[in-house]
Amino acid sequence: ADGAPGEAGGDVGGVAAGPLGYLGGSEGAGRLARYTSPTRRAESQLAGLMGAGRVDRLGLFISAQSQQVGRRKFLCEIDGKTFSTMNLMRVHFERHYAKDADVWWERQVNMDPGFGGVGVA
């Protein structure tokens, strides 16, 4: 490899690549440093919701009372209806189970004495 673009050891987008063609040095480290795992991202979003004092109680209720049973198939565990998207599932829950979600949320909050003080959306 003589360092020509597109060959191992060449440059990628004007940045010198390592012997196997991957981005080394600060550019590669920067890309890796910017990566956030899905778990860490979810924890961060949850912390943001908690800090903002807002909780999507209906969304949490939907998560607790439904499951994905196949590709593009979501099951409401309350009445057994299936939906092709989570958006349709959410509309179903908004129409039929909004009050149940409120009651469920109050039970969740009352079960954990250290959880108080969080507002609802």
Side-chain angles (χ1 to χ4, degrees):
D2 62 1
E7 293 183 16
D11 66 290
V12 178
V15 177
L20 299 176
Y22 71 92
L23 295 173
S26 63
E27 176 66 24
R31 285 188 180 175
L32 185 58
R34 289 189 302 261
Y35 173 76
T36 305
S37 73
T39 301
R40 182 125 4 224
R41 197 167 33 246
E43 289 172 349
S44 173
Q45 289 171 347
L46 182 59
L49 287 171
M50 300 301 266
R54 297 177 57 99
V55 175
D56 178 13
R57 62 187 183 272
L58 184 62
L60 293 172
F61 183 66
I62 292 169
S63 296
Q65 301 296 326
S66 66
Q67 62 178 310
Q68 184 171 2
V69 293
R71 185 174 178 268
R72 293 185 50 109
K73 189 170 184 180
F74 301 91
L75 173 69
C76 171
E77 294 179 343
I78 298 171
D79 62 10
K81 292 185 179 180
T82 58
F83 302 90
S84 61
T85 68
M86 281 302 291
N87 286 340
L88 293 173
M89 175 79 78
R90 185 175 185 93
V91 169
H92 172 69
F93 272 78
E94 287 172 350
R95 288 181 181 165
H96 300 285
Y97 303 115
K99 291 195 186 318
D100 294 334
D102 292 336
V103 171
W104 175 85
W105 177 250
E106 289 303 320
R107 285 187 190 145
Q108 301 308 307
V109 171
N110 293 333
M111 284 175 37
D112 185 359
F115 192 70
V118 176
V120 292

